[in-house]
Structures are given as C-alpha cells and as structure tokens.
Amino acid sequence: MRRSKLSALARSITLLASVGAPCLAQAADLLTTLPPEPLPPPIEIGGAWYLRGDAGAGILGEGHTVAKDVSIPPIPYKYNVLKDYLGNQAFVGAGIGYQANSWLRFDFTGEYRSEAKWIFYAAEKPSGGINRTSGKFSSVVGMANGYVDLGTYYGVTPFVGAGVGFAHHMFGGVTDNGQGLYQGGYGVGPEKQKLSFAWAAHAGLGYSITPNVKLELAYRYLNMGSAQTGTVTCEAPPYCKTDYHLKDIASHDVKVGLRWILGGVVAPVVEYQPMPEPIVRKY
C-alpha cells in the first residue's frame, strides 16, 4: 500500500515538471527581450529665424510746414498758410526676424518709400503776396519691431506691435513761384538730406499658407520725424532765402507681407538594430 502511494506521488511530480518547464522557459525568454529604445527628438534646422518681404502704400495727407528766413540779417517772415499738402508714397521692404516663442517675435526691416509731392501755399503778411513752394522727397526707413500674436482662430492670427528706428529723407526739385503781388518772383533750392528718428505702431492678421510660409495683411501708423528743403533763394523781387521744415511726417500705411521660416524639422537618423533572437532552453 505504501509503495503504491509513493509511485503515485512520483508520477504527479513528473507530470508537473513536464508541464511547468516550458512555461518557465517562455517566461525567461520574455525577460531577456528588452523593449525598443525611444526615438531621439527631431532636429530643428534654422531654428525660429525667418525672412520677410513687404509692399504697400502710405497716405501722408496734410503736412505741418514751418518756413524760416535765413537771410543775413534775417527778415521776419510772417504768413498765413493757404495750403500745406503732402502726397502719398508707395513702398517695398525686406527684413529678418526671430520667433522667440508661440506668441512673441522680433524683426529688423528696411524699406524704400517712393517720392511724395509737397506743396506749400503761403500769403505773406501784410502785403498779401503769395508764394507757392513745391518739391518732392523720398525716404529710406529702417526699423526694429516687436510683435505679440494674440492666438489663432480658424487659421487666422491677429497681432499687434511697435517699432523704433530712423527715416532718411531726400528732398529735391524745390521751386518757389510768386503769385498775386509777387507775380514773376522765382526761386530754387538745392537737394537736401536729413536723418530723423522714426517710430511705428502695427496691427494686422497673419495666415499660414504652408507650415513655412505666412501671409500678413497689416495697418501701420508710421511717424517719420522731420525733413528739410535746401535753402530756397529768390534772385528776383521779392528776394528771399528760406528754409522749409516739414514736421511730424506721419503716414497711414496698408501693407501686404510674406514671412518665410528658415529651415524646418527633419526626422532623426535611426540606425537599424535587429531584435535579439529568443533564447531556447533545451532540457
């Protein structure tokens, strides 16, 4: 009886060993197979730098001209302004910028502004004689700008910004024609260049045409400081030597621009490594 119980126990142990050994071997194989390593992050080429190009038109409207007699000795020049007019300008520009984060960016821009017509009618007191002085000036403007993007809605990103810089004005073609009691009077002024402080306020909308190209439609208030004519000299009565100073030259600009984000994101280079073969244990 005792011998039969021992035989039965031995057969049970042998059965358990034959069933459990393959399971233990498979568990060992799973432990030796390591999970794949995570991919390295993508590499950014060009960072957040971008190039930009702009074109638009500016409305200058009414001017603020001050006439100053520079004769020696100076002759008091008292007048009533009849017309003080500035024409409009077209402009093209380019620049380079940096996107600091998802809502803040900066750029440096330069632009050329076409010739604007200037006309100044003044009636001198007390004679009532009229001087019609006219000329043209063009400008080169350089600005450092900062912008805040206000979120994106249906693909459109509104933004506001401000900038400071300089305006280089080039004044030429200045003539003075006498009218009324000054009929027949005539004067000319040489070309004159002047560098002035400038500042701007921006507001607009941006739209992503592609991940690397953005379209902008914007309004800008641009204050270009002051410009000055060369000294206008009249060689016939009434004799004159006059400088004309244009103060607070302001333009309401509408412009269209494109921003090209440099570089982009490329996939990392991953070396192929075959998975280790499972370890087969033989019993």
Side-chain angles (χ1 to χ4, degrees):
M1 185 71 172
R2 184 176 180 182
R3 183 177 299 174
S4 61
K5 289 182 179 181
L6 291 174
S7 299
L9 180 60
R11 286 195 298 272
S12 300
I13 293 173
T14 303
L15 179 62
L16 289 173
S18 63
V19 173
C23 296
L24 292 174
Q26 291 180 4
D29 293 342
L30 292 175
L31 290 176
T32 56
T33 304
L34 298 177
E37 296 183 0
L39 297 177
I43 302 171
E44 292 188 3
I45 303 299
W49 292 95
Y50 62 86
L51 298 176
R52 68 175 303 137
D54 300 277
I59 300 173
L60 277 68
E62 296 298 320
H64 176 205
T65 302
V66 176
K68 181 180 179 181
D69 187 89
V70 292
S71 303
I72 301 175
I75 302 172
Y77 183 28
K78 298 180 180 180
Y79 54 89
N80 291 323
V81 178
L82 305 178
K83 183 177 183 179
D84 191 358
Y85 170 79
L86 289 176
N88 302 328
Q89 290 179 310
F91 60 88
V92 292
I96 186 169
Y98 184 79
Q99 184 84 40
N101 53 42
S102 61
W103 55 272
L104 182 63
R105 54 191 169 88
F106 305 92
D107 58 37
F108 298 91
T109 60
E111 66 186 49
Y112 171 77
R113 303 178 67 93
S114 65
E115 287 187 339
K117 182 181 291 186
W118 166 73
I119 300 174
F120 183 69
Y121 272 103
E124 187 175 358
K125 297 185 292 185
S127 67
I130 298 174
N131 284 324
R132 181 191 185 276
T133 312
S134 63
K136 294 181 179 180
F137 71 93
S138 57
S139 310
V140 173
V141 177
M143 302 290 291
N145 306 286
Y147 310 88
V148 175
D149 293 330
L150 304 177
T152 301
Y153 310 90
Y154 302 100
V156 178
T157 304
F159 63 86
V160 294
V164 294
F166 68 89
H168 181 237
H169 301 296
M170 296 156 284
F171 223 125
V174 179
T175 60
D176 186 324
N177 292 278
Q179 298 181 359
L181 295 178
Y182 290 167
Q183 189 69 37
Y186 183 79
V188 296
E191 293 185 358
K192 179 75 173 183
Q193 301 186 25
K194 183 177 180 181
L195 189 67
S196 186
F197 174 77
W199 62 273
H202 309 265
L205 301 172
Y207 179 78
S208 294
I209 301 175
T210 71
N212 285 66
V213 179
K214 298 184 183 295
L215 174 68
E216 284 188 7
L217 176 63
Y219 163 81
R220 176 179 64 181
Y221 174 83
L222 176 62
N223 188 299
M224 295 183 284
S226 61
Q228 181 180 336
T229 70
T231 300
V232 178
T233 303
C234 303
E235 300 297 344
Y239 300 103
C240 69
K241 286 182 78 72
T242 308
D243 288 347
Y244 294 89
H245 300 261
L246 282 66
K247 305 286 188 178
D248 296 323
I249 303 171
S251 179
H252 299 276
D253 293 343
V254 176
K255 62 177 184 171
V256 177
L258 286 174
R259 281 187 280 139
W260 293 271
I261 299 173
L262 298 178
V265 177
V266 297
V269 178
V270 180
E271 294 183 2
Y272 172 74
Q273 295 180 351
M275 297 291 293
E277 297 182 359
I279 300 175
V280 179
R281 301 189 179 215
K282 298 181 179 179
Y283 295 93

